[in-house]
Amino acid sequence: MPFFNPVMKFNRDFSIAIAKIFNVRRFLDGLSACGALSIRMKKEIKDIEVNANEISDETIKFLQQNKENNNADIIIRNRDLNLLLNEDANFDFIDIDPFGSPVQFLSNALLNARHNTIIGITATDLGTLCGIFGDACIRRYWTFSSKTDFDKEFGLRNLIGYVAREAAKYEVGVEILFSYYFHHYFKVYFRVKRSRSRADEMLKNLNFLLYCDKCAGRKYSDIADASITGNFCGCGKLKILGPLWNGKFADVSVCDLLGKEVKEKTEQKILTLVKGEQEIPIPYYDLHKFCKINRLQVKGTEDIIKIAGENGLKTARTHFDGTGLRFNGDVKELVKILK
Ligand SMILES: C[S@@+](CC[C@H](N)C(=O)[O-])C[C@H]1O[C@@H](n2cnc3c(N)ncnc32)[C@H](O)[C@@H]1O
């Protein structure tokens, strides 16, 4: 059956907003299915060439029908996306929305996309990315994972870290524009920078994360320093996870511009939270789990934010989890605040 998922409306809204903000003139909907994104893109943006690519002959019939029904002047392509990317990657924006993981298309996109092309990738393999299926996480992403109390952030930082490693091998850097988690998927929009120095610069944002199973403490660390900075919490239960992206996962100025384009209340909320998260790279704490692990009574989040502020520590709520809180102090400081 051809694929159409109404839950992906926000995904399409953000892609259209990105195309508007960056004045995209030539767009490739790499895995277009029935053309929901392509048709909207063509209808909502003037002077844009929209290429809708789909491999399935059966789905192409629906795509053709939808094109006619909506009187949308889009170009339909019927290629394997990996082949197409090697034949014609001269686009301003390439959107890749697969079933599951985008890894099988990422390499050709990064190899062929030109300088400054925007690439948007969707990933729905959350169990693998977030560390629930450790073996699959190694096979697909070459990331050491574990169950954590910040699994959604682990997944997004794992995905961006993988993008960075794939890009670096082609001497490409990526500039992260905007990424988020919603419902059952991650989305990452980044701009390709064909520059060796940008690739080197980008790799400085990759690191391992030391995570304590006993107290839920966490700390980014270079692998070479792990034995020095390891056991930072004193519990002796550390795991080395990663490599993960420890840089910003969204550009706040892009969040501001997106805020002028998207209409839904939930989209605005995601943008506000994502924007507020970028100054604290250490993954959020799930306060309920953290209090349980450390045998502390749960306090209201607003109270914790207030006490942290009085102690000169920064906090931020997170779009990943309603009970999560980002905190720029270490685990011992958080325990002190929660006591
Ligand atoms: C998740 S759906 C895309 C949904 C669509 N972007 C939307 O917004 O509704 C993935 C689509 O990719 C197509 N596909 C899978 N492998 C492909 C390939 N190698 N090249 C092109 N299309 C492919 C599938 O047939 C399917 O229709």
Side-chain angles (χ1 to χ4, degrees):
M1 270 304 282
F3 182 86
F4 175 71
N5 185 355
V7 172
M8 287 302 204
K9 177 186 178 295
F10 291 173
N11 190 350
R12 297 181 198 111
D13 287 350
F14 279 124
S15 287
I16 291 165
I18 287 281
K20 284 183 181 166
I21 291 168
F22 290 96
N23 199 21
V24 167
R25 288 287 149 257
R26 194 160 190 255
F27 171 66
L28 173 63
D29 185 1
L31 304 166
S32 81
C34 302
L37 173 61
S38 289
I39 289 168
R40 275 193 57 192
M41 189 74 88
K42 186 66 194 173
K43 289 279 171 191
E44 294 178 35
I45 301 181
K46 274 192 196 139
D47 303 328
I48 187 169
E49 179 192 301
V50 174
N51 293 258
N53 181 61
E54 169 57 46
I55 199 168
S56 153
D57 292 337
E58 195 200 347
T59 305
I60 283 277
K61 289 181 204 152
F62 287 85
L63 178 55
Q64 186 65 41
Q65 195 60 56
N66 285 338
K67 171 185 167 166
E68 283 161 25
N69 291 349
N70 290 283
N71 194 21
D73 185 16
I74 59 172
I75 299 164
I76 293 180
R77 290 170 172 239
N78 185 198
R79 300 289 285 153
D80 180 323
L81 177 58
N82 277 317
L83 297 179
L84 178 60
L85 288 168
N86 280 285
E87 293 158 1
D88 176 10
N90 188 22
F91 297 97
D92 302 322
F93 179 11
I94 299 170
D95 196 271
I96 301 175
D97 175 21
F99 295 127
S101 170
V103 291
Q104 58 171 314
F105 305 108
L106 203 51
S107 192
N108 278 308
L110 288 163
L111 172 66
N112 295 299
R114 56 174 168 65
H115 185 68
N116 276 335
T117 289
I118 295 167
I119 299 180
I121 53 166
T122 311
T124 58
D125 57 333
L126 264 61
T128 300
L129 276 166
C130 297
I132 313 299
F133 309 124
D135 291 349
C137 191
I138 285 283
R139 277 198 308 277
R140 199 171 293 159
Y141 295 101
W142 239 105
T143 303
F144 296 107
S145 64
S146 171
K147 285 181 189 162
T148 63
D149 63 307
F150 55 90
D151 56 344
K152 300 301 181 305
E153 182 163 354
F154 185 93
L156 186 65
R157 291 191 181 278
N158 180 9
L159 179 62
I160 301 176
Y162 180 84
V163 170
R165 283 167 7 238
E166 279 293 288
K169 74 184 188 196
Y170 298 121
E171 302 196 330
V172 162
V174 297
E175 177 192 358
I176 303 298
L177 300 175
F178 175 59
S179 43
Y180 67 101
Y181 154 73
F182 181 67
H183 203 267
H184 69 293
Y185 70 92
F186 294 120
K187 186 84 190 196
V188 184
Y189 297 98
F190 56 90
R191 204 148 45 166
V192 168
K193 296 288 172 185
R194 303 211 83 88
S195 144
R196 192 178 297 173
S197 58
R198 290 293 293 259
D200 289 341
E201 205 48 44
M202 166 190 73
L203 289 177
K204 292 181 185 157
N205 293 299
L206 274 179
N207 228 330
F208 287 85
L209 187 89
L210 305 176
Y211 182 66
C212 176
D213 259 348
K214 197 168 171 200
C215 73
R218 62 214 57 192
K219 188 181 198 301
Y220 286 114
S221 174
D222 277 339
I223 193 78
D225 295 339
S227 62
I228 305 164
T229 52
N231 204 18
F232 61 93
C233 55
C235 300
K237 285 271 184 184
L238 287 176
K239 282 183 176 162
I240 299 178
L241 309 180
L244 297 179
W245 180 258
N246 71 3
K248 295 186 177 177
F249 58 84
D251 178 328
V252 293
S253 61
V254 173
C255 293
D256 285 338
L257 293 168
L258 286 169
K260 293 181 186 148
E261 298 293 342
V262 295
K263 303 277 178 293
E264 304 272 354
K265 220 168 136 190
T266 307
E267 293 168 335
Q268 291 292 339
K269 191 174 165 196
I270 291 172
L271 284 170
T272 306
L273 287 168
V274 166
K275 195 178 150 188
E277 295 188 62
Q278 301 312 314
E279 288 308 316
I280 306 179
I282 276 286
Y284 68 89
Y285 293 82
D286 178 324
L287 291 174
H288 289 186
K289 284 190 191 153
F290 187 81
C291 287
K292 200 171 163 201
I293 290 170
N294 289 286
R295 298 202 178 114
L296 297 160
Q297 221 179 339
V298 185
K299 279 196 176 95
T301 309
E302 280 309 318
D303 291 339
I304 300 168
I305 292 172
K306 192 165 164 264
I307 302 168
E310 286 163 4
N311 285 278
L313 293 161
K314 271 198 225 163
T315 51
R317 287 184 183 267
T318 171
H319 83 290
F320 291 108
D321 184 341
T323 61
L325 189 69
R326 308 184 85 80
F327 178 74
N328 78 335
D330 66 24
V331 65
K332 288 178 185 150
E333 288 169 302
L334 184 56
V335 169
K336 214 166 111 191
I337 283 170
L338 290 166
K339 270 190 174 155

